[in-house]
Amino acid sequence: MTQVSTVGKLAVVAAGVLGIATACGSTSTGSTASSSSSSSSAKIGGSVTLWAEWTAQEQQDFLAALAPFEADTGITVNYQGKGNNMDTALTAAVSGGSPPDVALVPDPGTLDSLAKAGSIKDLTSILGSLTSNYGTAWNTLASYNGKQYGVWFKGANKNTIWYNPALFTAAGISSPPTSWEQLLTDAAQLQAAGTTPFSLCTDVGWPVADMWQNVYLKTAGAANYNKLATHALKWTDPTVTTAFTTLGQLFSNRSYLLGGLQGSLSNAYPACVDKVFPKPPAKPQAAMVFEGDFVVSEITGNSANYTAGTTGAGGAACTADASTTPCYDFFPFPAPAADSANNSAIQGAGDVAMLLNQTAQSTALIKYLAGSEGATIWAHLGGFASPNNQVKTSAYPDPVSQADAQALVSATSFVFSLDDLQGSWEPKMWADLLQFLQNPTSATVSTVEATMDTQATTALGH
């Protein structure tokens, strides 16, 4: 992992986010730059190997987005979804001399490492004017030493808490919370009404990391977040303690978590989403689940009955019965009232496409992923947000997904998912945060912070 370039990238993201917002608000029908390379009438033929993390419904949506590419070029895409092991699988394949032709990874740190090692191709001349489809911040995140090595096909807004509107209504909650304090108050009201407030995602730890990172961003602000991400700020800093203490207000109340502590520790993603938005005829077991906008694919994959927003199909009331008129909606992750200035700050992530073996087929695929056609298809299917400024807001299928995507690109402060920037100690960070979940006391916080700082120093070299 090369951290020097990541530091610069974080600075550019913070400075360049307004440029992203302006570009992505475009209502342009697209330019020459936004067209895919597959528009040529000549069929290329052959095949290309492609790896990404997406499985299940996300894999089906991605394959749908690739369908026009295959039809127009005659190229067969041999896709493999690697799930949470994408980075590990790709690193092993590169070391073994058999990488895929094209790969999408969920962090800029992996791109930096592969670029430094000479394992991926410089895309500067290949992409050409296609880079104008992205704002400066996104292009910088896909660069290494001033050269373009990737293109961000998918973005993710992780500033989202998804809730079941029918359960909120049944508990007498008329509108979602706008502060951390109100979130805890609403949780108490849900519990009093007989509904468990949260289905907590734990998995191997990354969802808990996403949650902690949101709390840190909302309490410490983007500038401190970026310092912590590069270890310019120690993990024993008082701002870190504040974040742990704040999140501990939720974690320490086991009755707010579905299944209590043991239930939470066994609640993997995406099963945690299913507990709030189940397949018929099951009933929801909890009212809220925190994770990024990609949960929409899981929700709508569970049933076509789910309607985005607070009104069911045909204008009917939202129901907890997934077989009738169930609904889903989100509210932005709220900051404590005293830190309300940080409410507009957003933690995000994404998947960046890289070229490992250059052929006519893989070059055509990279250009297609840099265009707007495939991204527009997935945007329409839901559970997807694109940083491509040629994807219209109207491409998203409903007001909820439009609001989600717009929030991602119009944030006054944008930070990349912190754990994805940590290199080799990322899994240890997840384990540390799960240790805190198991015992969210001040003594645990002190122990975990010291451990995390030592691990960060060892991994990052400072």
Side-chain angles (χ1 to χ4, degrees), residues 9-10 103 137-138 169 204 210 283 292 325 339 390:
K9 290 177 180 183
L10 287 169
W138 288 103
T169 299
V204 294
D210 285 346
K283 300 296 190 293
T325 56
D339 303 303
Q390 295 298 312

Side-chain angles (χ1 to χ4, degrees), residues 440-452:
T441 64
S442 58
T444 302
V445 170
S446 296
T447 300
V448 167
E449 285 181 348
T451 299
M452 295 175 87

Side-chain angles (χ1 to χ4, degrees), residues 93-455:
V94 170
S95 298
S98 57
D101 299 322
V102 176
L104 293 102
V105 295
D107 65 89
T110 297
L111 180 144
D112 286 353
S113 298
L114 293 174
K116 181 182 180 182
S119 300
I120 54 178
K121 308 300 181 183
D122 178 3
L123 302 180
T124 306
S125 60
I126 292 174
L127 293 176
S129 61
L130 284 168
T131 57
S132 66
N133 288 357
Y134 301 85
T136 301
W138 288 103
N139 280 329
T140 301
L141 280 168
S143 300
Y144 178 78
N145 281 350
K147 295 181 179 180
Q148 194 86 17
Y149 280 93
V151 58
W152 291 94
F153 177 72
K154 188 178 188 293
N157 178 2
K158 293 188 176 182
N159 190 48
T160 49
I161 296 179
W162 299 88
Y163 72 102
N164 191 311
L167 298 182
F168 268 50
T169 299
I173 302 172
S174 58
S175 59
T178 57
S179 70
W180 177 259
E181 293 85 356
Q182 187 61 51
L183 175 63
L184 296 179
T185 298
D186 287 350
Q189 189 167 334
L190 285 160
Q191 184 190 44
T195 298
T196 302
F198 275 96
S199 172
L200 189 65
C201 304
T202 57
D203 207 14
V204 294
W206 62 267
V208 174
D210 285 346
M211 196 172 198
W212 186 90
Q213 288 157 192
N214 262 11
V215 172
Y216 186 81
L217 176 62
K218 301 299 183 174
T219 55
N224 283 328
Y225 182 105
N226 286 337
K227 291 177 182 177
L228 186 63
T230 59
H231 205 210
L233 197 67
K234 293 178 71 65
W235 283 88
T236 53
D237 189 84
T239 58
V240 177
T241 303
T242 296
F244 272 116
T245 302
T246 302
L247 186 56
Q249 295 170 357
L250 173 61
F251 282 0
S252 61
N253 197 326
R254 305 304 199 191
S255 63
Y256 286 179
L257 310 178
L258 184 63
L261 174 60
Q262 293 307 314
S264 295
L265 290 173
S266 62
N267 206 15
Y269 182 87
C272 53
V273 179
D274 302 339
K275 304 293 175 58
V276 180
F277 308 101
K279 296 179 180 179
K283 300 296 190 293
Q285 301 175 49
M288 293 178 280
V289 61
F290 162 75
E291 247 313 328
D293 52 19
F294 42 82
V295 306
V296 172
S297 292
E298 180 69 13
I299 296 170
T300 56
N302 282 342
S303 174
N305 294 331
Y306 282 102
T307 300
T310 56
T311 304
C318 297
T319 62
D321 186 348
S323 63
T324 55
T325 56
C327 306
Y328 66 94
D329 206 346
F330 80 94
F331 56 88
F333 200 105
D339 303 303
S340 59
N342 296 326
N343 259 329
S344 59
I346 287 181
Q347 175 197 179
D351 295 85
V352 61
M354 307 172 300
L355 182 62
L356 292 98
N357 297 315
Q358 187 170 357
T359 64
Q361 292 79 11
S362 61
T363 300
L365 179 57
I366 280 288
K367 289 184 176 182
Y368 179 79
L369 294 174
S372 62
E373 187 174 10
T376 297
I377 291 171
W378 197 344
H380 180 72
L381 294 172
F384 176 90
S386 174
N388 189 313
N389 60 45
Q390 295 298 312
V391 177
K392 298 179 182 180
T393 302
S394 59
Y396 297 91
D398 54 71
V400 170
S401 58
Q402 291 170 4
D404 167 61
Q406 190 57 39
L408 177 67
V409 299
S410 63
T412 56
S413 297
F414 176 86
V415 296
F416 202 87
S417 193
L418 186 148
D419 57 332
D420 288 335
L421 301 171
Q422 297 312 299
S424 62
W425 86 280
E426 181 182 29
K428 295 178 181 178
M429 176 185 172
W430 297 343
D432 296 335
L433 292 172
L434 286 176
Q435 182 182 344
F436 169 69
L437 167 63
Q438 294 178 63
N439 189 21
T441 64
S442 58
T444 302
V445 170
S446 296
T447 300
V448 167
E449 285 181 348
T451 299
M452 295 175 87
D453 201 67
T454 299
Q455 291 169 339

